[in-house]
Amino acid sequence: MQDLQLLKYDPDVVVTDLHFGTIPVKLYQPKASSCTLKPGIVYYHGGGGATGSLSKNTFLRPPKGMDQRVGILEKVAQAVPRRRTSEKVDRKFAGVEENLVSGSNMSYRKLPKYKFPVPIRDCLVATIHFLKSLHAYGVDPARVVVCGDSLGGEIATVICQKLVNTPDLPRIRAQILIYAFLQALDIQTPSFQQRKNIPMLTWSFTCYCFHHFLDISPSWQEVIMKGAHLPTKVWEKYRKWLGPENIPERFKRGYQQKPHEPVNEAAYLELSVVLDVMCSPLIAEDDIVSQLPEACIVSCEYDVLRDSSLLYKKRLEDLGVPVTWHHVEDGFHGVLNTIDMNFLYFPSSTRILNVLTHFIKGL
């Protein structure tokens, strides 16, 4: 259904297919020329590493006498939020793209062939290339924003952390995280217990993405649910950031805290990848997190990943990083993608978009 969507043509927006190095991207720009530098937004799509992309544009030839394109067909999940953000806030906009043709040298590459950390590395390479080329696109080096939803939100977070100590690159101005995946250690948070059967991110699809993206055996599912995949020393180390006491009480209705079972050493050997900060940026050290740029965090009530946003919000605020937080009481994971989906449209998607554009305009 997403692949068949026909985007509305906007004569004020120009869409260009480019390569940042070997990585294909789409550049969205206002058609009107300007002598002033504009903010730039880099967007990373979600989909758990399994779905979502930005396919090649198919341009319809304009009628004789017209000097502009009259139609754009984009076969992808996530394209609408990207396009509409560019139109609404009049920003230069680069969206990292993924090619659906297996084996082609395009990013960000997805499951089943490409696993962690390939998508993150692809996006990091493309972002660095963009940051080094801002002058070519008329982008203000002081106003570059990274943005992503779901896995894309994690990628945006990781890239912010990776680029903290890179004085040769422009500093990221802000990060926008939309129901982001931020930690893979604890799946017994209140939201996991409360929302595991809510579309669009059910527990079964979460497990699929988790096991395949990290290339671990699905046979460890029960071990992970019991918290036996990590030793006590690890839980004790990260409790200060992951403990349920960091989540406001109003989000704990029906929550039952369960003690972690003794570690399964075989599982720990295979699953220790979850301690990599590229997989779980929420547990990055204070000296990194404290240097991160201002954040806009969107969380949704009906989302198994809700609590990751709440925990990361608290971490940032505790370390003095400014946070704009918007919680969507009637929102669910992936709701932003319903913009312009006719009878599948949910009004909360527009509210999220308004929050994002208001935040960007205020930078």
Side-chain angles (χ1 to χ4, degrees):
M1 294 177 68
Q2 289 176 321
D3 287 352
L4 293 174
Q5 286 186 94
L6 181 64
L7 287 189
K8 298 175 182 178
Y9 171 68
D10 189 318
D12 298 323
V13 178
V14 176
V15 185
T16 309
D17 289 302
L18 298 173
H19 282 76
F20 289 167
T22 61
I23 300 172
V25 302
K26 287 189 186 300
L27 186 71
Y28 294 76
Q29 295 174 285
K31 188 173 184 180
S33 60
S34 174
C35 59
T36 60
L37 296 177
K38 295 179 178 292
I41 305 171
V42 184
Y43 196 100
Y44 316 101
H45 72 74
T51 64
S53 67
L54 259 182
S55 70
K56 293 281 186 183
N57 280 344
T58 299
F59 295 109
L60 304 180
R61 185 176 297 279
K64 187 175 181 179
M66 293 187 65
D67 61 355
Q68 60 190 25
R69 296 175 174 119
V70 298
I72 302 172
L73 179 64
E74 299 207 339
K75 296 176 50 183
V76 288
Q78 314 294 347
V80 172
R82 246 161 289 231
R83 177 68 181 272
R84 289 175 62 99
T85 301
S86 179
E87 294 167 356
K88 282 207 167 201
V89 300
D90 192 36
R91 300 299 199 233
K92 301 278 185 178
F93 189 94
V96 177
E97 172 186 332
E98 196 276 341
N99 184 12
L100 299 178
V101 180
S102 178
S104 60
N105 188 24
M106 304 179 77
S107 92
Y108 68 76
R109 294 164 287 178
K110 302 198 309 284
L111 296 173
K113 186 174 182 180
Y114 300 101
K115 306 176 187 295
F116 173 85
V118 171
I120 299 172
R121 187 169 63 240
D122 286 348
C123 292
L124 180 60
V125 169
T127 304
I128 291 174
H129 190 283
F130 182 62
L131 291 173
K132 289 183 175 181
S133 310
L134 298 180
H135 64 281
Y137 309 113
V139 172
D140 185 349
R143 290 185 291 169
V144 176
V145 179
V146 295
C147 178
D149 64 288
S150 193
L151 178 65
E154 178 200 6
I155 293 173
T157 306
V158 170
I159 286 175
C160 274
Q161 294 180 359
K162 287 287 185 182
L163 299 183
V164 159
N165 295 312
T166 51
D168 56 324
L169 293 175
R171 180 173 172 80
I172 301 297
R173 173 64 179 84
Q175 53 183 321
I176 300 176
L177 314 179
I178 308 164
Y179 36 75
F181 173 82
L182 296 169
Q183 63 92 14
L185 283 73
D186 190 358
I187 56 146
Q188 278 300 318
T189 64
S191 61
F192 268 104
Q193 289 188 15
Q194 298 162 349
R195 311 304 184 194
K196 62 183 179 181
N197 295 318
I198 299 290
M200 300 290 289
L201 188 61
T202 61
W203 170 242
S204 60
F205 184 59
T206 303
C207 289
Y208 172 86
C209 296
F210 182 83
H211 292 120
H212 288 275
F213 185 63
L214 298 181
D215 199 17
I216 57 180
S217 171
S219 65
W220 297 124
Q221 181 173 328
E222 291 297 323
V223 174
I224 295 171
M225 290 184 67
K226 297 175 181 178
H229 59 301
L230 297 173
T232 301
K233 63 180 181 181
V234 170
W235 291 120
E236 290 178 347
K237 177 179 179 179
Y238 295 116
R239 179 180 177 84
K240 58 183 177 180
W241 299 329
L242 298 177
E245 61 273 13
N246 294 303
I247 299 172
E249 289 299 320
R250 70 184 181 95
F251 294 104
K252 298 180 186 178
R253 294 185 297 271
Y255 168 63
Q256 294 182 347
Q257 186 174 359
K258 301 177 181 178
H260 300 118
E261 294 193 0
V263 64
N264 180 314
E265 293 291 347
Y268 177 50
L269 288 174
E270 187 173 342
L271 298 174
S272 59
V273 64
V274 302
L275 301 178
D276 188 328
V277 293
M278 288 181 67
C279 177
S280 301
L282 195 152
I283 64 171
E285 294 299 326
D286 286 349
D287 62 336
I288 296 296
V289 178
S290 62
Q291 298 182 67
L292 294 178
E294 172 179 2
C296 175
I297 296 178
V298 175
S299 57
C300 288
E301 180 60 32
Y302 298 97
D303 179 13
V304 295
L305 302 184
R306 180 198 67 198
D307 294 343
S308 288
S309 293
L310 303 181
L311 293 170
Y312 199 55
K313 168 183 175 291
K314 186 175 188 304
R315 276 219 69 194
L316 291 170
E317 290 176 336
D318 287 350
L319 291 170
V321 178
V323 177
T324 298
W325 175 50
H326 180 69
H327 184 67
V328 188
E329 293 288 352
D330 59 345
F332 56 89
H333 195 90
V335 69
L336 186 58
N337 298 328
T338 72
I339 289 180
D340 287 349
M341 288 186 73
N342 299 320
F343 59 90
L344 291 178
Y345 161 77
F346 286 80
S348 56
S349 62
T350 299
R351 297 201 303 273
I352 293 174
L353 185 61
N354 290 338
V355 168
L356 306 186
T357 55
H358 180 76
F359 175 78
I360 293 169
K361 287 179 178 179
L363 295 176

